[in-house]
Amino acid sequence: MSLEALKRKALQNETIRTEYEKLADEFDLMNQLITMRTSAGLTQEALAKRIGTAKGNISRLERGKGNPSWATLKKYANACGFQVKLQAVSSSMNSPSAVNE
């Protein structure tokens, strides 16, 4: 069974789907990081050398482990030929009334 098929099967479970959706933004960031690096034709090791860190730090970042600073995200993106941009979007779940509930 492929990873995608396994994911589809798992997401049929409502509990799993709910938890997955809670982490969707983190998964999206991890995917964007990996896409930037691979688009630049870089290995984790090559990227680590470019930004002056250890390969393990790149691996942890791409697996969603840790809490990277804005400066780290900028270095990562710049080394891959990209820029990072913060975009705020309206969400009913994050409205002031929803936060206070």
Side-chain angles (χ1 to χ4, degrees):
M1 178 181 292
S2 72
L3 181 59
E4 191 58 38
L6 181 63
K7 178 181 170 184
R8 276 194 306 274
K9 183 176 180 178
L11 291 177
Q12 290 174 356
N13 179 302
E14 185 177 339
T15 303
I16 293 172
R17 186 175 54 254
T18 299
E19 291 303 312
Y20 182 86
E21 289 170 355
K22 287 179 184 177
L23 298 171
D25 289 337
E26 291 180 49
F27 291 140
D28 185 45
L29 175 60
M30 292 176 341
N31 286 331
Q32 286 182 32
L33 292 172
I34 294 167
T35 298
M36 283 190 290
R37 179 177 56 76
T38 57
S39 293
L42 296 170
T43 63
Q44 289 181 342
E45 187 172 345
L47 176 58
K49 286 180 183 176
R50 279 193 184 185
I51 64 175
T53 192
K55 177 186 176 282
N57 292 333
I58 300 300
S59 176
R60 279 188 292 282
L61 185 61
E62 292 180 354
R63 288 183 288 126
K65 304 293 180 191
N67 191 10
S69 68
W70 184 251
T72 297
L73 293 174
K74 284 177 62 174
K75 278 189 209 178
Y76 184 108
N78 290 337
C80 296
F82 290 84
Q83 294 179 339
V84 291
K85 176 178 146 182
L86 178 64
Q87 181 179 7
V89 294
S90 177
S91 171
S92 59
M93 291 301 295
N94 292 328
S95 69
S97 61
V99 172
N100 293 326
E101 292 176 354

